Structure formats: structure tokens, C-alpha cells
Amino acid sequence: MDFSKLTIKKFHQGLNKKTFSCQEIVKLYFDQIKLHNPNLNAFINLNQEESVHQAEMIDKKIKEKKEIGLIEGVPMAIKDNIVTKNLITTAGSRILQNYTPAFNATVIEKLKTQRALILGKTNLDEFAMGSSNETSWFGPVKNPLDTQRVPGGSSGGSAVAVASQMSLIALGSDTGGSVRQPAAFCGLYGFKPTYGRISRYGLISMASSLDQIGILSQNLEDMEIIFDAIQGYDLKDATSLNEEQIKPLERKINKKKTDLVIGVLGDSFMTNLDIGVKNNFKRSLRELQKLNYKIIEVKLPHLEYALACYYLIMPAEVSSNLARYDGMRYGYSSVNDPKVKSTNLEQVYFKTREKGFGSEVKRRIILGTYILSAGYRDAYYLQAQKIRTLIQRDFEQAFENVDLIATPTTATPAFKLGEKMNDPLQMYLSDIYTCPVNLAGLPALSIPNGQAENLPTGLQIIGSAMGEKRIFDLARIYSANK
């Protein structure tokens, strides 16, 4: 079977017409995983026994001529920082390598209620900290389009699972571009919704004010179906948006307009772009103009501070969130490690964190602790929060004149494995076009828009808060006319 042409609707129709059984499809996906995963390292743990059993139940239901839901039996991959009951959830870290949650994240609960099928948990940069998927305790993930290159991070495992047809669709998480960047590197659609539209309950926290669960897919239609299936208010998430907050803004944004205006940034934000990425972006703008979208330049005067602002707020929240991993409550503990001697409680804490965390996690914890320490909190963290507010206002003002904003998703195509591992600053620059969106809490979508150096590139479309429908509308028209 050609998995690249399989969509959720075709899968649903195929089951109902008995063109294939759910068990046959599940077997084919696990055959793909068996064939490709040893080389690409996209999955950390598989859920084969439960998947096969669930597929049998769905086939039985169809045989009994009972109606099945649209996403019933849809094979999905889940980033391994989204907790799943009775299935090991590692966050790509040694410290959680044997952690089995006793509850489901809200998105998992919603998918299970609709009987979507979870094939397994995908690899990621440790605790979602990275832009290349090279910091995982379980080893690096390789880009299926060129195995010498990274797939992007931190949702690289989810991106590779979809790009190599080991899964029909996947969930990731996006703190500074962790869904959109790997989508661009692997030639997929990668979507991050407005902060609060998808519940974060059960998403292992990295930087709580920036984290958001997102979706990776081969096509836009599948992405919209899964977004509808998992979005919505959640009482368990204090930052979740309710209908009263969402509907008025949606009505205002989604008013019918004949001519949509797209904002682009000035040339100063394009100086370090790879020439192939730049050419593809300019061609995409010309294609949008042919589709009657008006392109104008927008001013976002504080955007040049976004990356520095992001790398102050994010590690500060990391240092706070990861304080819970002390060897007493979760996963790895130096007490149970015969190779480690701890003579008192303080040493247990130190040794657990020393042995349990990787170097990138330690770097961010140390940086965050310094940023929040006495005498420096006001100088760094508080100033960064003020700049974040200015960036949010910049976007709000820009959206008074434009309907959407377009940028490249990344400055370069996928880079080589190991190329930036010894230069954290260069690695952090990978997020330059994506992290401002997380600071502002806005929705954004990366759309495949061509190739450079025989590798895919992405066009990022940013919407105002609750502007998901407008983003999807543009993406649908753009993709249909490419």
C-alpha cells in the first residue's frame, strides 16, 4: 500500500467498504516501523499489543454493521512527553526512562474516547530541549530524506514517523517551534494552535507559558480533523480557553472578506537566510499574490529582541518545572543505582540530577536558576517579560492592518547531524522565525513550499489569536494551487 496517499477520510472509507481491515493496516504500519525504525530511531516505545487488540475490536464492529467514528482506528504516533496511562513515557530522558503514568493526558483521553489508535511514543530532544533531536537519552533521530541530517526538534520523532509512513499522523509539542521546524525539515505540515486551545494537562512541562501541543501531518485535511478532535476547554488546565473567550474573537476574525492582506517582515529579518529558503519564500509570496492576496510590509519593532527574550523566559521556567525530578517521586533515583554512592538526602538529590539529566537540560537549569537568582531576577527575567509584552502588542497592532503574517519557517534546510551540537548559540538561532509566535501565544502553521539543496523548506503562516480557521483557509487554497 502507498501510505503517502492514505488520508483519514480514505482510511475511514476503506474500513467501511471493507477494502481493507483495520488489522491489515495496523500490521502494515508495524511492518514499516520494523523496517525503518532501527535506522531512523523515531519511536522509543511501541504499543503493538493494545493496537492489534483495538484493531480487532474495530473490525468486529464493522462486521456487525455498527457505525464507526471518523478517527476510529486511525494510526497515530504520540510524542513521548505526552503522558499515556500504562505506557512508558520518558520525555527522552534517562530520569524518566522507566516512568509509567497512572493517568492520561487530556488529548490522549480525547483520542481514546474517539478510539484513535496509538502505535507508540516517539523520540524527542530531552524534555523537548533542542532544535535537532540530538539530545535524547535514547539517541538521535535521523531525517528520512537524508539520514546524514537532523529531522529538526524537538518533535523530530513524530515528524519522522509521519514522513517515513510509520504513522498516519502524529502529535508533538511546540515551545519555540518544536512542531513547525521539524515539519519544515521533513516536508510536512506542522501546526501550533493559539495558546490554550488544546489542553496542556498531561504534557510534561518544559516552559509552561510557552508549551503547546501541536500536530504533524502529510496533508491539511488530516490536520484539521485531529485539531477538531482534541481542541476544547479543559477544567484540568488552568490556562485552557473556554467558549466565551474563543467565540467572540473567532466571529470577529472569521468575517467574510474578499481581499485578504498578508504582512511580511522587512529585509533586515531576511539577512541570514539560506539563498534557497529565501527564493522559495519569495516564490510563495508571488504565488499568494496570484491568488489575490495583497502583500504589505509590517513593522514589528521589538521582534529583534524575541530570541534573547525567549532564551531568558524559557530556561527560567525550565529550572522551576524540572525541580520536581529529585529522585524521590519520579523515575530514576541514585538510591537504586548500585554504581552511585549517596550518603545523605542532599547527595541523593545531587546524584540523581547529575546522572539523570543530559548536558543540554543541565545547561538550561543552571541558566534559568541564575536568571531567577537574587539580584538578577529583575535585571533579566522581569525585563524579558516586559519585552514579551511589547512583542505581543507589536503583533496586535500589526493585525489591525493585516489578516495574516508570512515568514520562512526556518533560516536553512535541515543541517547535518552534529553540525551545531558544540555551538549552542547557533543551535538556538534555529528558532529565530518560530519562537516569537510562542511568546505572543499565537497560532501558526508551517506549509511545505519547495526544496533547497534537495531538502524541503517551509512557509510559516501566523494568525491572530483564535485565527486558526483563517490560517487553514489560506493553506488550503495555497496548497491546492501550487
Side-chain angles (χ1 to χ4, degrees):
M1 172 175 277
D2 184 358
F3 286 109
S4 66
K5 294 180 180 173
L6 187 63
T7 67
I8 290 176
K9 284 187 177 174
K10 286 179 181 176
F11 173 74
H12 181 73
Q13 288 164 2
L15 289 182
N16 277 322
K17 290 180 181 175
K18 298 183 181 175
T19 309
F20 44 72
S21 72
C22 193
Q23 291 174 81
E24 286 170 342
I25 294 294
V26 167
K27 181 182 182 306
L28 287 172
Y29 272 110
F30 278 110
D31 286 346
Q32 282 285 101
I33 293 170
K34 189 177 178 182
L35 181 65
H36 295 298
N37 200 52
N39 182 34
L40 300 176
N41 200 25
F43 282 92
I44 295 174
N45 289 303
L46 298 177
N47 189 31
Q48 190 162 0
E49 192 175 333
E50 185 182 322
S51 298
V52 170
H53 174 70
Q54 196 177 340
E56 286 175 1
M57 293 298 103
I58 291 167
D59 287 339
K60 186 181 173 191
K61 207 171 163 184
I62 293 168
K63 195 175 177 182
E64 292 170 352
K65 297 185 179 177
K66 292 179 181 173
E67 190 176 343
I68 60 167
L70 181 57
I71 67 167
E72 199 159 341
V74 167
M76 295 190 66
I78 306 294
K79 188 176 180 179
D80 205 26
N81 62 348
I82 301 172
V83 301
T84 45
K85 188 176 179 180
N86 299 329
L87 193 59
I88 288 176
T89 300
T90 69
S93 179
R94 183 189 184 191
I95 210 163
L96 289 178
Q97 64 175 322
N98 295 316
Y99 170 59
T100 304
F103 68 102
N104 280 322
T106 294
V107 290
I108 300 297
E109 204 62 54
K110 288 190 174 189
L111 291 172
K112 281 182 173 284
T113 301
Q114 296 170 74
R115 297 186 182 83
L117 199 150
I118 296 170
L119 297 174
K121 307 296 291 294
T122 53
N123 208 343
L124 68 155
D125 283 302
E126 186 176 5
F127 282 100
M129 298 180 202
S131 303
S132 64
N133 221 140
E134 292 174 284
T135 70
S136 170
W137 167 255
F138 301 93
V141 180
K142 296 177 184 174
N143 192 319
L145 305 171
D146 179 348
T147 54
Q148 300 297 310
R149 295 179 184 267
V150 304
S154 61
S155 305
S158 290
V160 171
V162 178
S164 56
Q165 282 92 54
M166 290 191 280
S167 177
L168 183 53
I169 193 164
L171 293 189
S173 69
D174 191 314
T175 306
S178 297
V179 163
R180 289 160 285 155
Q181 188 241 31
F185 281 3
C186 294
L188 303 172
Y189 291 82
F191 172 61
K192 172 214 169 293
T194 305
Y195 184 79
R197 286 209 75 165
I198 294 176
S199 171
R200 293 184 306 106
Y201 177 75
L203 172 64
I204 294 177
S205 297
M206 170 190 166
S208 307
S209 74
L210 301 160
D211 296 336
Q212 182 63 75
I213 289 173
I215 306 163
L216 293 125
S217 66
Q218 292 272 11
N219 62 76
L220 192 67
E221 183 185 72
D222 288 355
M223 179 166 286
E224 290 184 85
I225 290 170
I226 295 300
F227 176 56
D228 286 341
I230 62 175
Q231 68 157 330
Y233 176 66
D234 181 14
L235 196 62
K236 296 174 183 171
D237 177 1
T239 60
S240 179
L241 299 171
N242 60 40
E243 291 298 303
E244 288 180 7
Q245 294 167 300
I246 292 172
K247 288 298 177 189
L249 277 172
E250 274 193 329
R251 278 196 293 272
K252 183 181 174 184
I253 294 166
N254 296 330
K255 282 190 297 189
K256 278 194 176 179
K257 295 179 71 173
T258 51
D259 298 316
L260 288 182
V261 181
I262 297 174
V264 295
L265 304 174
D267 289 340
S268 60
F269 287 97
M270 304 292 170
T271 50
N272 294 318
L273 266 183
D274 171 270
I275 187 66
V277 174
K278 191 172 188 176
N279 288 338
N280 285 347
F281 178 64
K282 287 187 172 181
R283 193 190 64 250
S284 295
L285 295 182
R286 289 195 296 273
E287 289 167 351
L288 287 169
Q289 283 177 312
K290 286 180 188 172
L291 295 169
N292 293 325
Y293 289 96
K294 186 178 177 184
I295 309 291
I296 66 169
E297 187 175 322
V298 290
K299 303 288 184 189
L300 296 166
H302 300 94
L303 203 62
E304 61 180 298
Y305 308 113
L307 200 63
C309 175
Y310 174 80
Y311 277 100
L312 287 169
I313 293 171
M314 178 269 291
E317 295 187 13
V318 164
S319 70
S320 175
N321 276 323
L322 270 62
R324 74 190 69 176
Y325 303 104
D326 55 8
M328 295 292 109
R329 288 165 286 190
Y330 303 99
Y332 171 81
S333 172
S334 64
V335 173
N336 302 320
D337 190 337
K339 296 178 182 176
V340 180
K341 285 186 179 178
S342 307
T343 55
N344 57 47
L345 183 61
E346 192 174 51
Q347 279 194 14
V348 171
Y349 292 156
F350 289 158
K351 294 290 182 184
T352 295
R353 294 166 72 79
E354 179 193 340
K355 301 293 180 185
F357 289 140
S359 57
E360 181 60 28
V361 173
K362 289 175 189 169
R363 180 185 291 121
R364 297 193 191 196
I365 289 173
I366 291 168
L367 184 61
T369 305
Y370 178 78
I371 290 164
L372 292 177
S373 61
Y376 296 100
R377 181 183 173 279
D378 289 356
Y380 294 112
Y381 183 70
L382 194 60
Q383 288 299 314
Q385 289 290 14
K386 288 178 180 177
I387 292 167
R388 180 182 192 171
T389 301
L390 293 174
I391 291 168
Q392 289 169 338
R393 286 178 187 166
D394 283 349
F395 274 109
E396 287 170 8
Q397 288 171 6
F399 281 118
E400 289 176 5
N401 300 312
V402 300
D403 300 290
L404 296 160
I405 293 174
T407 74
T409 307
T410 60
T412 66
F415 46 87
K416 290 192 173 175
L417 286 157
E419 186 178 325
K420 299 185 180 182
M421 280 302 284
N422 295 322
D423 190 344
L425 289 178
Q426 280 300 312
M427 187 73 84
Y428 295 167
L429 284 170
S430 302
D431 302 328
I432 195 164
Y433 292 109
T434 50
C435 75
V437 175
N438 297 73
L439 289 169
L442 301 175
L445 173 69
S446 179
I447 307 168
N449 75 331
Q451 291 205 328
E453 304 169 27
N454 295 319
L455 293 165
T457 62
L459 168 70
Q460 180 177 229
I461 302 296
I462 304 167
S464 55
M466 317 305 160
E468 282 83 358
K469 182 178 181 302
R470 185 166 281 175
I471 294 174
F472 288 146
D473 287 345
L474 178 142
R476 195 177 304 109
I477 293 168
Y478 174 78
S479 299
N481 287 279
K482 272 200 302 184

